[in-house]
Amino acid sequence: MLAYIARRLLFMIPTLFGILIINFVIVQFAPGGPVERILAQLQGVEAGATSRFGGGGEIGNTGGGELSSKYRGAQGLDPKFIAELEKQFGFDKPAYERFFLMVKNYAVFDFGRSYFRDVPVLQLIKEKLPVSISLGLWMTLFSYAISIPLGIKKAVSDGSRFDVWSSAVVITGYAIPSFLFAILLIVLFCGGSFWQIFPLRGLTSENWDQLSVLAKIKDYFWHITLPVASMTLGAFATSTFLTKNSFLDEIAKQYVQTARMKGLSERRVLYGHVFRNAMMIVVAGFPGAFVAAFFGASLLIETIFSLDGLGLLSFESIVNRDYPVVFADLYIFALLGLIVNLLSDLTYMWIDPRIDFETREV
């Protein structure tokens, strides 16, 4: 198995390189950029992803030509000033040189500094991690805590009234976006037309530093309840049906019939024989579900509840063309995704030692 793990770890290197180079090339042709944004701000124009100052020229080679022709917002400005802006953002170097410099730095987790916040990118990410970890971890845990017992119950009572109406409820919850649940919870419990029970914004209270340890724990869960609830309500449908179908497949197998013929109780058959085999695919998918929630499911929830996490940071960085933050988020997400895939395989082996990784290809 060690040989398999080593092959998978080595395979991550060309995979990460390919992901970075594809996205780097795409960015070369993307409209707008940090130089255009600065020029737009100088002229009092709002610059964003759809700014009229768009044009991917700032990320190409800067050798030769009239500088003002490269940036539609540069008319009338001193070319030396434009050249200083390009040097500040690193665009005075050829694209290939900047790419390989980025790869070299990323190999040692040096992500540079944010263009517009002027702080190290790694520091920015560390500051946002508590929010994203809170949302991703608790949403995944609660989702599995609901979906596994519910899926088992649905499998055991397949075709019953409970199975039918619970499927309707789960599918309805899955079809409704989490941000609509969030808005509903805010109206009901955050001082709208009904009750003032939970806070409307933030991960902690303003007096967090003055609270005791027990009070801090209580305050943290007080703030995180509604965001996690709104994400969880629509998140457990897939794992619920996956659990149900997995149990139904195992219950239909011959070894289950044999166990019943031996006189074992239904509970002993279900939890002593079926459970381990049926839960393999569900439990092994936990790392991937956590990472997906950690990075992809929290943007709107963070915005609605004023939670400053990685989702909001990534979105703002894309809009502002803050390339160091954008590429750092991409790199970390890709790396974690590859590691999680490896962990999922190892989880299969932990659940069922009969799986042989030595004979598997990468």
Side-chain angles (χ1 to χ4, degrees), residues 250 276-281 345-357:
E250 291 296 323
R276 188 184 72 171
N277 295 329
M279 290 305 297
M280 276 185 58
I281 190 171
D345 284 347
L346 297 181
T347 305
Y348 276 114
M349 186 210 66
W350 175 67
I351 297 174
D352 189 351
R354 295 172 297 177
I355 295 177
D356 183 12
F357 282 97

Side-chain angles (χ1 to χ4, degrees), residues 81-98:
F81 173 72
I82 306 298
E84 286 296 325
L85 283 179
E86 290 182 324
K87 184 176 181 180
Q88 176 184 343
F89 294 117
F91 298 144
D92 58 329
K93 300 181 179 68
Y96 72 88
E97 184 178 336
R98 287 185 283 110

